[in-house]
Amino acid sequence: MLAGLLTDGGRNPDSAFAIDQPARDGVSEASSPDHRVSGNPPRREHVPLGILYMVGATIVFAASSAASKWLVARYPIGEVLFTRTAVALMTCALFILPYAGLAVFRTHRLRHHVMRSVSQGFSQTFLLIAFSLMPLAGAIAINFSAPLFATLVSALLLKEAVGPVRWAALLVGFCGVLIVTNPGTETFQIGALFALANAVLYGSVTAAVRGMTATESAETLTLYQLVLLTAFFTLLLPLGWISPTPIDAAWIVFNGVANAVGQYWWTKSLHLGPASAVAPFFYLSLVWAIAIGFLVWGDLPTIGLLIGSAIVVASGLFLLWREARKV
């Protein structure tokens, strides 16, 4: 799992990479006046707001996923990935650089940004392959095992405290996912394997981003991710390119802008709360996926999908209520 590369087993729950930093980088984050990138203020916890950012991210990500599924049926996967990320990069740069300037790229963790982007590059590629091979809701449902992986990584590597109530809510939510996916010979297909691979990598990246937010701002994390992902997906362009029609070009722009907003809100969410608290709300993507799948492709939700979704949403709402009471 790439989380092993992205996290160095630091004892501080707010910094996965703090341990042995002087030996690796020749500078101590605790003593250096520049340990916070671009003069960013210390990160402050605000779990309910982080949850709201995650919910917003699920909405725009669902719209982007639907656009990607529609486009990948007409264009090569590499082209869809590259255009989506390139447009997202231009969108974020347009809003971030005027007030943050190039100082937003100042970092002591370039190799961690690179490792994170490589992991996300493979994760997004696997997810688009899954979209091309199976219904949208099914692929997203399988992806919902990602919060469980994120919680495991956060507890084992980032040493975040995950109480029994959170564990119970997460396990209940995962049971809902099992009801949705209904594992069996009919659902065991190659598309599901790609969706599961994406879930493992997504969970690892979620925990890694949480560790990086100790010194990296949401703007720095977002721009580095998009710059490196654009470069990564450029390598896929020789595999195929089809000039888009004007209508499809508009969908490509929409896909990229939605992806930009989703990436920023997702990163901002992890900046405001621990992965074990905010990541479970990615479950809500299934609600939007069911609606979009029915409206666009006529996919009727099964009884298992509805029951499992209800369990997943209920566990997420319980976590939201529990976290809000702590404020």
Side-chain angles (χ1 to χ4, degrees):
M1 185 181 293
L2 287 181
L5 298 174
L6 289 163
T7 56
D8 294 332
R11 291 180 291 270
N12 183 349
D14 287 333
S15 177
F17 315 111
I19 189 169
D20 296 330
Q21 192 71 16
R24 291 197 305 268
D25 297 333
V27 59
S28 171
E29 288 186 2
S31 60
S32 171
D34 296 326
H35 76 284
R36 296 215 176 262
V37 178
S38 307
N40 291 316
R43 183 186 65 200
R44 295 181 179 179
E45 295 283 331
H46 197 314
V47 175
L49 183 59
I51 289 173
L52 290 178
Y53 270 112
M54 182 60 77
V55 172
T58 66
I59 296 173
V60 292
F61 272 144
S64 177
S65 296
S68 295
K69 178 177 175 60
W70 189 81
L71 289 169
V72 81
R74 295 163 172 77
Y75 300 94
I77 290 177
E79 180 179 350
V80 175
L81 286 167
F82 171 78
T83 54
R84 182 180 69 179
T85 308
V87 172
L89 172 59
M90 290 185 287
T91 302
C92 286
L94 181 65
F95 286 95
I96 294 175
L97 291 182
Y99 74 86
L102 294 179
V104 73
F105 290 105
R106 186 184 305 163
T107 181
H108 295 300
R109 294 183 171 178
L110 181 58
R111 71 186 182 93
H112 297 125
H113 284 290
V114 172
M115 291 176 183
R116 173 202 176 199
S117 296
V118 170
S119 178
Q120 277 214 319
F122 280 106
S123 173
Q124 293 185 21
T125 301
F126 291 156
L127 186 59
L128 246 66
I129 293 175
F131 284 162
S132 69
L133 297 174
M134 62 189 304
L136 180 66
I140 291 180
I142 294 174
N143 187 45
F144 284 157
S145 57
L148 183 59
F149 289 113
T151 301
L152 289 173
V153 172
S154 296
L156 297 177
L157 298 183
L158 304 187
K159 307 303 180 183
E160 287 186 356
V162 180
V165 175
R166 277 185 183 174
W167 278 117
L170 288 171
L171 290 176
V172 169
F174 185 68
C175 289
V177 173
L178 291 179
I179 295 175
V180 170
T181 56
N182 187 25
T185 55
E186 293 183 359
T187 57
F188 188 78
Q189 54 181 302
I190 190 170
L193 294 178
F194 279 109
L196 182 60
N198 164 72
V200 174
L201 290 175
Y202 173 80
S204 302
V205 169
T206 299
V209 171
R210 174 61 180 170
M212 293 176 72
T213 57
T215 58
E216 311 293 87
S217 69
E219 291 78 8
T220 296
L221 286 166
T222 300
L223 284 183
Y224 262 109
Q225 172 188 303
L226 292 175
V227 167
L228 294 172
L229 281 178
T230 300
F232 180 83
F233 293 140
T234 300
L235 302 177
L236 301 180
L237 292 180
L239 300 180
W241 176 274
I242 299 175
S243 297
T245 65
I247 294 179
D248 289 349
W251 279 111
I252 288 173
V253 172
F254 167 81
N255 194 16
V257 172
N259 185 253
V261 174
Q263 292 288 356
Y264 180 76
W265 284 355
W266 178 78
T267 304
K268 188 70 173 179
S269 172
L270 294 171
H271 212 273
L272 292 168
S276 55
V278 300
F281 287 86
F282 204 73
Y283 284 139
L284 291 176
S285 295
L286 183 56
V287 177
W288 325 133
I290 292 174
I292 294 174
F294 175 73
L295 294 174
V296 177
W297 289 280
D299 296 332
L300 291 174
T302 63
I303 297 298
L305 186 63
L306 294 176
I307 294 175
S309 299
I311 294 174
V312 166
V313 172
S315 64
L317 291 176
F318 172 77
L319 284 172
L320 175 60
W321 171 78
R322 179 176 172 80
E323 293 299 335
R325 289 185 61 194
K326 295 180 180 180
V327 178

